[in-house]
């Protein structure tokens, strides 16, 4: 299959090459997919994309005109892809529904630890040979209540870690996992009211966009710790900034940001004009921001590359690859793959 892969970072190449074993002819380019760069897809069968690529209706129209039949994203989330537009053109879509949920979970917990124990501030002080303990006090996670919104692969992995730390773990999910012994199922208002730490693990969809807003924030404990490693638009940034000023939110850990498209994954240090909301967030001592890197472990990268190549293999054999596909209803999902 002839493929062009967009937004490829240098560190991804070895994993893709190991997974591909030269089966598919893949052109790797660092540019994101956009209306301008779609032209690189001319003469190819498939495009491989990532979360911040523009896979909107307009771009899909252009890709269809260039003869693209398949879109494979190297991510679990498919919110960046207009799957309806893809379906209308008969373009098949695949994602990587399961790859090392521990990678994302461990990063969420790393954000929580770093915020709680002021690790960034402590390290900065130490680098200046200031070894006082002032301003570094944290709290024990043991005995605290952790609320997890979304109990799929990553939510359950986070639950296991916090359970191991001696926390009470409560959770909310539209489709709460049966037979789980880790998490107490609670209604969302109860989760907001009882949690000392809230971690978000739902995909971005119509039901979850701005799930954290002025109204939900008001229901939370004063000084709550909020962690988001899922998708930026789950949080209404302007509302959370107000809640930090008021002390309602005591700690905010973000691996994703509402307006990260065109910003994260790239170096914007020299930009004359910077994103104002992000600058405001960074002025707070109790906010920690990482650039959408929760997935970034060796194990996860190999998992992503392996599943992406498997998706291309299956398409080459005229097989469908599962739930992400807009034609899912009429496709037969092969038994060899996890049902996504
Ligand atoms: P998953 O599909 O295993 O679990 C998502 C859970 O959310 C499901 O149990 C589902 O029932 C639940 N859910 C969906 N809509 C809901 C709603 N409106 N209300 C309550 N629950 C709802 O997904 P997984 O692997 O746990 O990943 C979650 C999200 O994390 C992904 O969709 C992606 O956006 C994000 N992610 C971020 C990464 C990063 O590097 N920062 C890496 C991987 C995933």
């Amino acid at each position: 299959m002839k493929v062009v892969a967009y937004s490829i970072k240098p560190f991804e190449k070895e994993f893709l090459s190991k997974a591909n074993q030269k089966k598919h002819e893949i052109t790797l380019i660092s540019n994101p997919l956009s209306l301008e760069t779609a032209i690189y897809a001319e003469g190819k069968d498939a495009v491989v994309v990532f979360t911040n690529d523009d896979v909107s209706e307009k771009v899909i129209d252009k890709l269809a005109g260039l003869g693209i039949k398949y879109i494979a994203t190297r991510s679990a989330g498919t919110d960046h892809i207009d799957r309806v537009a893809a379906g209308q053109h008969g373009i098949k879509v695949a994602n990587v529904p399961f790859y090392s949920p521990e990678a994302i979970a461990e990063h969420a917990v790393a954000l929580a630890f770093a915020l709680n124990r002021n690790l960034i501030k402590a390290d900065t002080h130490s680098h200046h040979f200031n070894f006082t303990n002032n301003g570094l006090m944290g709290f024990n996670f043991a005995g605290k209540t952790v609320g997890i919104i979304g109990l799929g692969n990553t939510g359950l992995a986070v639950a296991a870690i916090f359970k191991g730390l001696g926390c009470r773990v409560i959770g909310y999910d539209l489709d709460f996992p049966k037979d789980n012994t880790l998490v107490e199922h609670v209604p969302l208002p109860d989760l907001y009211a009882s949690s000392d730490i809230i971690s978000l693990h739902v995909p971005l969809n119509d039901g979850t966009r701005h799930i954290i807003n002025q109204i939900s924030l008001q229901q939370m404990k004063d000084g709550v710790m909020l962690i988001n490693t899922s998708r930026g638009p789950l949080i209404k940034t302007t509302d959370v900034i107000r809640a930090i000023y008021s002390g309602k939110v005591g700690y905010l850990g973000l691996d994703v940001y509402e307006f990260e498209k065109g910003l994260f994954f790239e170096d914007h240090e020299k930009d004359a004009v910077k994103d104002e909301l992000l600058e405001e967030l960074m002025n707070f001592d109790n906010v920690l921001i990482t650039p959408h890197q929760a997935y970034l472990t060796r194990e996860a990268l190999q998992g992503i590359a392996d599943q992406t190549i498997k998706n291309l293999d299956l398409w080459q054999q005229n097989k469908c690859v599962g739930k992400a596909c807009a034609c899912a209803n009429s496709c037969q999902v092969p038994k060899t793959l996890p049902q996504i």
Side-chain angles (χ1 to χ4, degrees):
M1 195 172 270
K2 287 190 174 165
V3 183
V4 57
Y6 288 92
S7 296
I8 292 290
K9 294 140 212 128
F11 54 77
E12 283 181 280
K13 290 181 184 174
E14 63 168 294
F15 298 102
L16 275 168
S17 145
K18 190 172 165 202
N20 187 33
Q21 295 295 317
K22 301 196 170 137
K23 282 185 287 187
H24 303 282
E25 201 182 296
I26 308 180
T27 307
L28 304 177
I29 59 174
S30 58
N31 311 55
L33 173 61
S34 65
L35 263 184
E36 290 71 44
T37 61
I39 191 68
Y40 295 128
E42 193 164 23
K44 313 287 185 196
D45 306 296
V47 295
V48 170
V49 298
F50 198 51
T51 52
N52 283 0
D53 284 314
D54 179 358
V55 203
S56 59
E57 186 179 3
K58 274 190 183 162
V59 173
I60 288 175
D61 287 349
K62 187 148 183 196
L63 291 175
L66 293 166
I68 287 298
K69 296 176 219 56
Y70 310 100
I71 299 171
T73 181
R74 312 190 295 286
S75 60
T78 54
D79 50 278
H80 53 299
I81 303 175
D82 188 331
R83 285 160 59 213
V84 175
Q88 280 161 355
H89 285 291
I91 294 178
K92 295 186 190 261
V93 176
N95 66 341
V96 183
F98 185 91
Y99 64 91
S100 195
E102 296 79 13
I104 294 90
E106 288 171 15
H107 193 76
V109 178
L111 287 173
F113 266 115
L115 280 164
N116 175 15
R117 304 308 288 265
N118 295 291
L119 294 185
I120 308 299
K121 195 202 277 182
D123 183 59
T124 310
H125 286 186
S126 295
H127 275 77
H128 289 97
F129 267 66
N130 171 3
F131 301 114
T132 61
N133 279 184
N134 300 336
L136 303 181
M137 196 193 303
F139 61 86
N140 287 6
F141 280 126
K144 297 294 181 298
T145 299
V146 178
I148 300 180
I149 305 182
L151 287 153
N153 299 315
T154 61
L156 284 174
V158 169
I161 300 175
F162 277 115
K163 196 82 181 172
L165 294 174
C167 300
R168 174 186 175 219
V169 184
I170 59 177
Y172 170 78
D173 193 300
L174 277 184
D175 185 14
F176 194 79
K178 292 164 197 70
D179 303 330
N180 103 88
T181 50
L182 281 174
V183 190
E184 279 172 56
H185 189 194
V186 295
L188 207 42
D190 292 3
L191 185 146
Y192 292 144
S194 309
S195 300
D196 301 294
I197 298 124
I198 296 178
S199 196
L200 306 179
H201 298 281
V202 279
L204 176 63
N205 57 37
D206 290 344
T208 61
R209 184 179 297 275
H210 289 175
I211 190 168
I212 304 301
N213 57 32
Q214 198 188 351
I215 295 163
S216 50
L217 285 161
Q218 271 166 4
Q219 300 170 54
M220 294 178 196
K221 280 189 176 180
D222 289 342
V224 66
M225 178 185 285
L226 198 56
I227 305 290
N228 187 9
T229 54
S230 274
R231 283 293 178 266
L234 298 182
I235 297 183
K236 190 166 182 207
T237 309
T238 48
D239 288 0
V240 90
I241 287 176
R242 268 198 294 272
I244 299 169
Y245 279 121
S246 75
K248 175 57 80 180
V249 168
Y251 309 82
L252 179 67
L254 299 180
D255 185 51
V256 287
Y257 165 60
E258 187 173 4
F259 306 108
E260 71 175 53
K261 204 165 246 189
L263 195 56
F264 279 22
F265 304 122
E266 294 157 20
D267 186 351
H268 288 273
E269 195 176 344
K270 297 203 169 71
D271 286 6
V273 181
K274 302 238 172 26
D275 183 295
E276 283 181 14
L277 278 182
L278 207 45
E279 281 193 312
E280 193 168 0
L281 279 172
M282 293 202 213
N283 281 333
F284 293 112
D285 256 8
N286 51 351
V287 173
L288 190 49
I289 299 173
T290 53
H292 202 143
Q293 65 175 86
Y295 72 98
L296 196 55
T297 66
R298 279 187 287 280
E299 293 80 359
L301 284 177
Q302 193 60 65
I304 291 169
D306 289 348
Q307 184 63 54
T308 301
I309 299 300
K310 257 189 219 167
N311 291 342
L312 299 176
D313 292 347
L314 285 162
W315 279 332
Q316 197 158 37
Q317 297 156 24
N318 273 325
K319 289 179 182 162
C320 190
V321 296
K323 212 164 103 185
C325 191
C327 64
N329 293 338
S330 56
C331 290
Q332 213 177 344
V333 182
K335 289 198 172 58
T336 48
L337 267 183
Q339 305 275 308
I340 56 174

